[in-house]
Amino acid sequence: MKKLKLLLIVLVLGYASTSWAQSRVSGVVIGDDNTPLPGASILVKGTTVGVVTDVDGNYSLEVPSPSSVLVFSFVGFNTEEVTVGSRTVIDLTMVPDVTAMEEIVVIGYGTSEKKDVTGAIGSVESADIVRANPVQAAKAIQGQAAGVIVSKQNSRPGAGYSINIRGLSNINTSDEAEYSNEPLVVIDGVMGGDMNALNPSDIESMDILKDASSTAIYGSRGANGVIIITTKRGATGRPRVSYSGYVGVKTPAHLPDMMNAQQFYQASVTDAVLNNPDFNPRPYTSTELDMVNSGRSTNWLEEISGPSMQTSHSISVGGGSDNTNYHFSGGYLNEGGNLDNTKFQRFNIKGSMDSKVNDYLKIGFTANYSVGKQELGSNEALRSAYRARPTGVINYSDVLNPDENQDIEWNGYAGWMGINDKQVLNPLIELDPQNFQDETRSQVFFGNAYLELTPIEGLSIKSSLSASVDNSRWGQFRGTMTKDRKTTLLPRSFRQTDAISNYTLDNIITYQKEVGNHNFTITGVQSSFSERIEEMDSYVDELPYSSLWYAYGTGRPVQLDTRLTERSLLSYMGRVIYGFNDKYILTLTGRWDGASQLAEDNKWHFFPSAAVAWRLGEEEFIKNIDAISDMKLRVSYGLVGNTTVRPYATQATVTQTPYDFGGTPAFGYAPEFLADEQLEWAKSKELNIGLDMGFLDHRIGASLEVYNRTTVDLIYDEQIPTSTGFGEITTNVGEVANRGIELSLNTVNIVNNKFKWTTSVNFAKNVNEVLSIGTEGLQQDIATGLFVGHPITAHYDYEFDGIWQLDEAAEAAEYNQVPGSVKVVDQNNDRMISSNEDIDDRRVIGSEQPDWTMGMTNKLTYGNFDFSFLIYTSQGATFRNSMLSGTMGQIGVGRYNVLDVNYWTVNNPTNDYYGPGIANNPHRGAIFYQKASFVRVSDITFGYTLPRASLDKLGFSNFRIYAQVTNPFVFTDWDGMDPEFNSSTYNDGIPSATYLVGLNFSF
């Protein structure tokens, strides 16, 4: 019996051993944000047995015994080991490596592990882009990368953003694109890609090249920095479908306070007379007086604005086999405006494919197509709403005596609002689509196709063709019932069409070789770029009916202008990256650029750069310090060129001039511009020192950058004596310096099984200084606002010193002023305020460039819940407030409504703002300069992700719902609309906050 039991035990153990030898373990691998990790590696420790996860993060493999240990690894995450035991299902949530030292970044014509990067590069990942939910891709960068200032251009739906990296380097004041300080944008290899046409949901990452070493490979095109955008591509595995979308309400927010009817009457009549008994107020109609006396008031801004819907939807499918991967997506965005009859719509289609034809040949393409429609209503309506007196009425039936002000009726509205003034038309009439329309339609295509050969190991030969086509039509119609047409003239219309096309052909050869402790990456590039711009402007008057910007044959032609601009660039580049012992890295880059728009003998220039990095974290004297996890020191120096000059500037051009021959009109031609046949490259020299650090087992990661960039031979429209027959000449003159410091800090504050809190902070301070603006020692050019020793965009004016008070009447009289008027500093104390060549009491009182900027992102997760918010601040910028300097700041004039400010009266002796009715107030403009510093809570997001068990039951790989509010709080002392840009209410919209709910899922 005992022998039988022993035999049974042996058989059972043998069976168990056999079954374990054939046992299979499966599961799913996800990141800390509950998204699957396709391509994660699972290896049985001590063996060569392993698999990688599929597109949904699933895996399955055989293990030899219960004691087997599975090793999970994935780029950017900590490697983890798990003992199998008796389990047959092992799901794992991987924890990111907070230093991301294995992170792959795009460095231009190639990629590199972040640990091997020698230049100054910032990155914004897909998770941060998705979290921000931006309408425009550029918004996702704001507050996320040190040294990169992203500012919205206006508050209208579909408005773009301006981007500045490490300060301004161009001193030309023209608004033309050729003089732009904007960085180069590269989207999937397409040079000069349009970020506004891109669906943010399609973006995988954005890498920002900031110093001369990292941008040198792009030569002159990267003189202002480079933003490299990589969109999502397919991965090996079955097709994966993903959806992201949201719907929300966009509401007016952070608006300045305007006076109501009673405040307006008091300021322009009661207090104006109180301050100056000789003041003669503007007369008020019976309708207006009735509004004031009855306590009623009209808020014209509320009448033409209100909440609007904002929604976005994107769907994508991606997958592939061992040899071919694909990814296709489509998106729709509808951003409503808070002004009536305004909105922006965008449709996106994107496709990409990569195919390995054989062991030596790989081909692929990326294509993006976008259709946009921007409806902006009336560019006058918002200004009219701010200007219109609150004492006016909306409807004609409320006008007590229409003959009193010769009022008119249109669709029940009172044209002149019961006010005896014809400068502001009822904003509701101005904004009506029957009277005013402004529409832009655009079609943008950009794509890239490549062919890559790898004839031997380590050698890659790649040819890439990128193309971009941007066709747009802007139409504007102004009907009879608009301020422009004075309610009596026939309609007029304007139409502008632009056709912009370009291509870039890159031939790239790369060789990588590792010999012992030495490794080399050698890259050579030949690149050619060509651009063609066709433009046509047409303007007709006296249209017999509302035909918008069509049927131009029915109107009277006023203007027809067509333009053709062509330019090209030819480049040759070489780069060597050498690493020794995984500690020391050297990068040498040289590029030869030839630009068509420069002078014949100065088209070509060579731009070199060098950078070294020392991975101190690999040295024993650092490894022995427990608190330090990693450390790398970087130093780079480079020279880059800049061709911020309009094409044909080196050629004398002619312009049409009218003549009169005995009453018969005729046209001739005369020289328009004086050519500088020696015009050459502007050149920037930059030194960058960087230090990357990790502390406390990578719980803290920090990066510090210090840089000094000097730009010489600036391309500038210099003023010349009119005796030459010309007013200016485009030439090389002047120097500008940008010096600064940048700090990026990433911390894991708390992490345990359920709760995690991380913080990312970036800080940047840039000091911009004009070093020279002329070859003859010129120290200032007041006309263009350039002053040696001060920043570009400096303000030069009298310095505000408060308001003259009653006890200062005698002193004020010395300056021909009275109490209640604006006091300015008498810089030389000569008892006069002067602004002539010999004596000038004006001085530089600020610049539109901020002293420093900072962004802070906090992310918290608890179980399946997530919470995040972004705070962004800009400090120190000074603007001449367009609302104060315009009609909205004319306290006491009584013609237009004004901002509700704390103004001076004999009973309210404030120093905040001058008093109404003051007769002698010659320097009131000094009060209009204000600091535009602000702290903005950019967005707050709260989300919930379904747990893995629920996902498996429902057949999803990921499912998340969330709620978000964008721009909920702005803290500022700015009097006006958004302090981020200096709006004058003309050609602008209304600041807003957006409240939305969204959904992301994939299966």
Side-chain angles (χ1 to χ4, degrees), residues 505-527:
L505 176 63
D506 293 321
N507 295 297
I508 311 162
I509 183 168
T510 304
Y511 182 66
Q512 294 179 299
K513 183 67 175 179
E514 186 172 341
V515 181
N517 291 329
H518 307 270
N519 61 77
F520 301 85
T521 301
I522 303 171
T523 304
V525 179
Q526 181 274 321
S527 179

Side-chain angles (χ1 to χ4, degrees), residues 520-536:
F520 301 85
T521 301
I522 303 171
T523 304
V525 179
Q526 181 274 321
S527 179
S528 58
F529 165 79
S530 180
E531 182 176 62
R532 179 184 177 91
I533 303 175
E534 294 187 28
E535 302 169 281
M536 184 177 73

